[in-house]
Amino acid sequence: MPLDGRLLSGVTVLMAVVEAGSMTRAAEALGMTQSGVGRAIQRLETRVGVRLLDRTTRTLRLTDEGRRFWERAGPHLEAIEEAAIEAAGSAHRVRGRLRVNVDPFFSRLVLSRALARFLSLHRELRLELIMRDQIGDLVADGFDMALRFGNPPTAGFTARKLLETRILTVASPGYLETHGKPAHPRDLLQHDCIDYQDPLTGRPFEWEFRRGDEIVAVPPPARLMVSDVATMIGACCEGAGIAQILQLGSRDVIAQGKLVELFPDWPDETFPLYAIYPTRQHRAAKVRVFTDWCATLLGADPEGAAALR
């Protein structure tokens, strides 16, 4: 299929629709009418011979063929854009819209503290942080990247590990005064615990304790399960039971004596944080800059690491 201006124009419109999430917003961004956007998509679908978008009055999402087309065509359009920027003498220019699917806990406790500084450094960038409990479909949902805890999906994504943070088992001083302090992880079987729901499975996370090669799995007798980290920490501080929390972002509640770490001699149970991207050969400068900034916040810079732990 020969490349011509009409084909390239249709691909550009499709990319705009995917990134904007609707034809109305894409039309505004492109300076077109909504009907003009619709006709451009129809002409592109006719040209390639397959339906690329499923459209209803309420939803718009890529078909399987459309997703594959988007993944193949997107890097080339980004390369054209970056080549144009470089030709203009602005190879390191960060601009446009960056849409990030982000874990709510990480956004609230880490990113929120430093967003003003990041935006002041990149005046031509519009940053959209969308808090989601699950990664979902980055392409269909119009995300450039995601920041998620836990092991990343293996199919259709690339990922960069930003952090391994310890899992701490904690209780309030009031709870320990009433119920006593467990000496070993297995002693948790005699205590009230608080479970945290895994957003992917709907079930509570498993409790494991690691010390070198030694692993102890404990099914905690939980009378309370929550799906919100702030609720779990608040309930734990008030003596509702023993909980497991991430070391990342927990410095204040432990330093203030609101919570006590129970098993510092079991230090090897950790939880990763990843930057996750749709599968592409190249990533835009805005994505690279934001990822590097997050890595700096989390510890590439020792001062940044000390501020967050």
Side-chain angles (χ1 to χ4, degrees):
M1 179 184 297
L3 177 66
D4 59 28
R6 287 175 298 177
L7 177 60
L8 184 59
S9 176
V11 175
T12 301
V13 172
L14 176 66
M15 298 301 110
V17 170
V18 172
E19 291 179 0
S22 76
M23 289 193 177
T24 300
R25 290 195 291 270
E28 293 174 353
L30 295 170
M32 300 172 62
T33 64
Q34 185 174 346
S35 60
V37 170
R39 288 194 298 271
I41 297 297
Q42 289 175 353
R43 287 194 295 268
L44 178 62
E45 290 176 332
T46 299
R47 186 72 182 275
V48 300
V50 295
R51 177 176 289 277
L52 301 173
L53 288 173
D54 282 330
R55 303 181 285 275
T56 69
T57 56
R58 290 191 170 186
T59 63
L60 182 151
R61 63 181 291 116
L62 288 166
T63 63
D64 290 340
E65 294 80 6
R67 183 180 297 105
R68 288 193 292 270
F69 185 88
W70 187 92
E71 291 175 349
R72 293 291 301 275
H76 298 290
L77 284 184
E78 292 176 356
I80 292 172
E81 180 183 9
E82 292 196 0
I85 293 173
E86 183 173 358
S90 301
H92 302 292
R93 192 173 179 181
V94 177
R95 64 179 183 179
R97 185 185 72 159
L98 177 62
R99 184 174 165 86
V100 184
N101 173 321
V102 60
D103 178 89
F105 171 80
F106 179 70
S107 179
R108 181 172 61 251
L109 292 185
V110 178
L111 292 184
S112 62
R113 303 180 183 186
L115 287 174
R117 173 61 176 163
F118 179 78
L119 292 174
S120 71
L121 294 173
H122 305 288
R123 295 285 184 179
E124 296 182 271
L125 182 70
R126 172 181 170 82
L127 179 61
E128 297 183 4
L129 300 179
I130 310 301
M131 289 41 151
R132 296 281 179 88
D133 289 328
Q134 300 185 39
I135 187 170
D137 188 327
L138 294 184
V139 174
D141 293 338
F143 288 108
D144 296 290
M145 61 178 292
L147 293 169
R148 313 300 312 179
F149 285 105
N151 292 322
T154 56
F157 299 94
T158 57
R160 172 184 170 184
K161 184 185 288 187
L162 300 180
L163 176 76
E164 286 273 358
T165 186
R166 286 184 59 215
I167 296 178
L168 308 180
T169 305
V170 296
S172 69
Y175 177 90
L176 297 177
E177 183 178 348
T178 302
H179 300 277
K181 183 177 180 179
H184 188 276
R186 292 192 183 91
D187 295 341
L188 293 174
L189 295 173
Q190 310 302 320
H191 285 265
D192 293 332
C193 297
I194 304 173
D195 267 334
Y196 183 74
Q197 184 185 64
D198 185 337
L200 295 178
T201 66
R203 298 189 296 271
F205 278 103
E206 296 179 355
W207 289 33
E208 284 190 347
F209 298 84
R210 295 173 182 261
R211 183 169 56 190
D213 295 332
E214 187 178 4
I215 300 175
V216 174
V218 177
R223 298 179 56 219
L224 173 64
M225 184 173 74
V226 300
S227 62
D228 175 71
V229 173
T231 301
M232 179 178 65
I233 293 176
C236 189
C237 288
E238 294 300 321
I242 295 172
Q244 287 197 324
I245 63 175
L246 300 182
Q247 185 180 41
L248 177 69
S250 64
R251 180 186 60 156
D252 290 345
V253 291
I254 293 178
Q256 294 167 7
K258 295 179 180 180
L259 294 177
V260 177
E261 183 182 0
L262 301 182
F263 307 115
D265 53 335
W266 292 79
D268 298 326
E269 177 68 6
T270 62
F271 206 52
L273 174 74
Y274 281 89
I276 303 171
Y277 319 96
T279 299
R280 296 182 182 178
Q281 185 175 0
H282 304 288
R283 287 190 280 276
K286 60 188 178 184
V287 174
R288 296 195 302 270
V289 165
F290 183 74
T291 304
D292 290 344
W293 174 72
C294 290
T296 299
L297 284 179
L298 291 168
D301 177 352
E303 293 184 3
L308 295 172
R309 288 177 171 82

